[in-house]
Structures are given as structure tokens and as C-alpha cells.
Amino acid sequence: MIHYLGQPGSYSFLAALKYFKNGNNLAGSDSFYKIFSKLKKQKSDYGIIPVENSLTGSITQNYDLLMKEDIFIVGEILLKIKHHLLVNRDTISNLNNLLYCYTHSESLKQCHDFFLLNKNIKPVFAEDSASAAILLRKNRSNIYCAIASRQAAEINKLKMLDIKVQNDDNNYTRFAVISRRPNKNGNKASIIFSVVHEPGSLLKALKPYAEAGLNLTKIESRPIIGKPWEYIFIVDFILQKDNAQINNVLKKMKKSTNYLKLLGLYDPGKIYES
Amino acid sequence: MIHYLGQPGSYSFLAALKYFKNGNNLAGSDSFYKIFSKLKKQKSDYGIIPVENSLTGSITQNYDLLMKEDIFIVGEILLKIKHHLLVNRDTISNLNNLLYCYTHSESLKQCHDFFLLNKNIKPVFAEDSASAAILLRKNRSNIYCAIASRQAAEINKLKMLDIKVQNDDNNYTRFAVISRRPNKNGNKASIIFSVVHEPGSLLKALKPYAEAGLNLTKIESRPIIGKPWEYIFIVDFILQKDNAQINNVLKKMKKSTNYLKLLGLYDPGKIYES
């Protein structure tokens, strides 16, 4: 079994479908926490979770769960997010008649300009984008719309309006495939660590990467507030040689870190259209 | 005039109050975009915007605006965020009777566990946390609650329930004070830049910092999807010497960056309770 966030037609569902190439073993979940919990209890083999969006940044909640739980990244996939404005099939395609819009909070952020321009339309919370489409289908009202994927529109037999609803088309989400067992190989690595408490600790922790000539593809610091110069770091990088390389780097890093977890080795993900 | 997000009692309002020490010239705004726009049109002297939260990460939308507009960071302040669950004064203090909760989308994320535990309570979007309190006051219903600050409860004469509503107490937001005119001095600097398109570019751009022995307090990369090895970086650091130091670093950096903006020089912010 493979767990994703939401209902069929959610972006996590679409990412799972592209990654695993079939939808037979997919099951929806209503929180990231539950996706991790299902894995821990051996009720699923894989989970798929968003870790970063090109417009809104890292999904810190999932990094916190990866840090806390004995769960590892074993794959990744990038999905271009294309939000559509959906209405029931018999709704007249006129924005002025709409008063409410079902939307996930992340979609709301990514479509914020639309709501600023159309003050008559109030956002109504949905657990995920596909749930927004389901709520609209069940509600049947003509003063409601929803923000969701093309696939969620098709699954729920809703009409897509020809209206630009998202702020920016450069909207990609990077999903991580997670599992109880880490891969032994892979060209890409993700690590999370915290550094010792002293000025300059942030750059010092990166020295082993520079020395090994590794190519970083992501770096992010999160402050531990109230503890100056203490940070949690997330770093992704590409391995050029064999796995011995990563062991060397991690060994060097352990000297200047308080906490260090190899989140996983995996092959760099491909980009798909949603 | 100083513009903040939301209504009196919002966390941006509280941050502005702590920073400017009086509330005489404060005016609410309903979007970050408008705060920048008011500054550009000389309709305000300062704006106050959240740039980072300890639980949910960077507020990328504001970094995008700082990158695009001729507006600069001139100060910072850290505010401990303490969400409360509010009800109308005559509402019985029993969670089971509540069906709806007005909440800002960021507060929703920071209180997600509460909604998972109390499935009977559905979130209803509000533009900011103080607006959530205002909606509750105006609605007067006993099946509604709201998530907002203690001050928003006091201003709107609402009752605070003795219930832990936020996921984690380590909840701090860093606000930037912004203006049309950059400071000439300050011990802290924020810069944003993109690097040239080649493997290793990420670490190369950081070399001038390492060489100058500067202490980074934040580093974040955001990928430009579809352009491998191209990134936007946000870096904060502490200056140890005089301003000549930053000019040297920026001069060196220009060789390996496509785009570079000094977002501002300012004094490191203090931490306040909300």
C-alpha cells in the first residue's frame, strides 16, 4: 500500500500515480502525520509527501517528521502544479455570481492574487485540493467554486473555467517517496543536521562539502530561536563517485554537528506535468 | 504612516507596536502586496512584514516582493507567537459544542494538530488572525470560535479558552521593517542573489563569506525549476567590522552571481513576547 495526502485527483495522488506508474495500491490519508504513522505501523510500504514548492518554499512540517521518525527518503518526483477554477456543470461561467470557493490552504496561498481581485469570492477551507472538488460536487450550489487539478475536475465531473487562478505559472512541487527502509544506493542524498553553538558554525558545517567538491542542490537553515548560532540545516547534494564519498563527508561532519541524520539516498527525480 | 498586515491585534500589529513603541501612526492593510504598494506611492513611511517563522519557514512571498521592488529592510523584530482559542463571552467553554473556527491560513498550519484532534470543528478562513477575532465578534454565534492573539481577544471582548491550540510553543516570527530608503549603517545585512548556471555554483557564491570570516545567521536556496544548478539565495549575516567589509564581499560576489541585491543593513532585532 502507498499512502498520499488527500483524495483521488489531489496533487499528491497525481505524483504517486506518475512515480509508481499505476494507481492500484494507492490510498488517501488526511494528514502527513498519518502517512508517517501508517508506515511505522507497517500498514503501508511507501508514502509520498511534498517537501518543497517553488513558490512557497519548504514544507517544514514534513522535514520535522523526517527528523523525528525512523523513516527515510527513497525517491523523488517533481510535479508542475496547475490549479484550475472549477464550478458545477450547470453553473454560469461568470465570476460575479460566485460567492465561495473551496480551497486547500496551500492552494489559497498560491492563488492569493485571484482572491484579492475577486473580493466577492470567499475561500472555504478544504483538507486538500481534491477534497475541495468533492465538496463542490456534493454541495451542488451555483454560488460555489473550487480550486483543484484538471484530474480532480474530471473525476468529479466538474467544469473548468478558462480563468488564470494561480499567481505564478512557475509552480512546481517536489515530492519525496518515503519508506521504513533506506536505499543503499542513489545519486542524490538528503541530510538534516544541527550545528554546535558558536559563531561561524553555519559555514563550518559546509566545509566538508566544499572539500569533497560536492554539488549542493538545496540548502536551508532554520534558526533555533533563543539559541543564537544554533540552527537546523537541510542539505541536498549530488554524489559524483561511489557511496564511500558520502561516508567520508558524514564522518567529517559529525565533528561539528550536534545531530545528523542521512534522510536518504535516491535517484534525482524527473519533472512531470500535472 | 506605518502599514502592517491585518487589523488591530494581528501579530503584525503587535510587532509594529513593540518596534515603534506607539500605535498612533499604524494602519492595517489586507495584503503584503499593498504594504509594498503604499510605500512605493509614498503613502507610508514604513511597513512591517513577516519574513520567517520558526515552525513554517520563510515567507517566500515577501522575499519575492523585496527582490522585485525598490524597497529595503531597515529593521527587524522577533515576536513569540502565542495563539489562543477564542469564543464569544456567553459561549459555554466546551469544545464539543463548537463547529466552526475562524483562522488565518498560517495559524491553521501552526494549529493543525488541534483540528486533527477536534474533527467537529471546521476551519473557516480569515484574512489575518485579528480579522478572525472580529468575524467571531460580529457573528455572535456560539458554535463558532477563532484563533488569535490575547490582544485580539481583549480588543474584541472575547473569551480565551484554557486549551493548548498551537502544535508547538517554539513559535516565533521574524518581522522585517521596510522602507523606501535603505539604512547606511547596521550590524546585520540581508542579501538576495541568483548564481550562474553551473554545478558547484551554490558553494562558490558562499566563498567570499567564508574568506571574510562572516557569521551567517540564515541561508536558504530556492531552486529555479527547469534550470538545474540555478538558484535564488537568501543570506543574512552579521558584520564584524565596518561597512567596507560588506562592500568587499559584495564586489567579490558579483563575479559569480547573475543578480544581487543588498536588501538592507539594520540592527539585529530583539525578541518580544506577544
Side-chain angles (χ1 to χ4, degrees), chain A residues 40-103:
Chain A
K40 274 161 55 193
K41 291 176 187 157
Q42 312 212 0
K43 285 184 180 164
S44 71
D45 306 304
Y46 296 104
I48 192 152
I49 53 166
V51 290
E52 188 172 13
N53 175 274
S54 56
L55 297 180
T56 56
S58 289
I59 289 96
T60 52
Q61 197 194 345
N62 278 328
Y63 280 107
D64 289 345
L65 285 163
L66 281 166
M67 201 168 153
K68 209 156 46 177
E69 308 291 354
D70 225 13
I71 297 294
F72 303 90
I73 300 177
V74 296
E76 76 167 0
I77 179 171
L78 285 100
L79 189 70
K80 182 164 192 177
I81 305 295
K82 180 100 185 71
H83 295 302
H84 293 272
L85 190 68
L86 313 182
V87 292
N88 278 304
R89 285 204 173 164
D90 56 354
T91 299
I92 297 161
S93 307
N94 184 342
L95 284 186
N96 296 328
N97 299 333
L98 298 170
L99 298 180
Y100 300 101
C101 183
Y102 292 116
T103 174

Side-chain angles (χ1 to χ4, degrees), chain A residues 251-262:
Chain A
K251 215 165 103 183
K252 277 189 202 168
M253 284 191 70
K254 279 201 175 131
K255 288 174 200 165
S256 56
T257 55
N258 288 328
Y259 164 90
L260 173 67
K261 179 183 174 184
L262 174 60

Side-chain angles (χ1 to χ4, degrees), chain A residues 30 52 54-56 60 106 109 119 125 199-200 202 215-223 229 231 238, chain B residues 30 52 54-56 60 106 108-109 119 123 199-200 202 215-223 229 231 238:
Chain A
D30 66 358
E52 188 172 13
S54 56
L55 297 180
T56 56
T60 52
E106 284 298 310
K109 230 196 268 181
K119 287 272 183 192
F125 178 79
L202 215 145
N215 295 322
L216 272 62
T217 61
K218 177 190 174 74
I219 174 167
E220 185 166 333
S221 68
R222 281 171 65 195
W229 313 112
Y231 304 89
I238 305 292
Chain B
D30 66 357
E52 188 172 13
S54 57
L55 297 180
T56 55
T60 51
E106 284 300 310
L108 174 66
K109 230 196 267 182
K119 286 275 183 191
L202 216 144
N215 296 324
L216 270 61
T217 61
K218 176 189 175 73
I219 174 168
E220 186 166 333
S221 68
R222 283 172 64 194
W229 314 112
Y231 304 89
I238 305 292

Side-chain angles (χ1 to χ4, degrees), chain A residues 181-196:
Chain A
R181 274 179 300 277
N183 287 339
K184 288 198 178 118
N185 294 294
N187 292 330
K188 193 171 173 183
S190 289
I191 62 167
I192 195 162
F193 59 94
S194 70
V195 288
V196 293

Side-chain angles (χ1 to χ4, degrees), chain B residues 142-174:
Chain B
N142 285 336
I143 57 169
Y144 275 77
C145 54
I147 292 172
S149 68
R150 179 177 56 77
Q151 291 83 346
E154 285 163 7
I155 291 166
N156 292 286
K157 300 189 166 54
L158 297 165
K159 185 162 70 174
M160 293 195 290
L161 297 187
D162 187 21
I163 281 159
K164 181 184 152 67
V165 71
Q166 62 190 7
N167 303 350
D168 193 327
D169 286 337
N170 183 31
N171 188 353
Y172 292 84
T173 297
R174 190 159 74 90

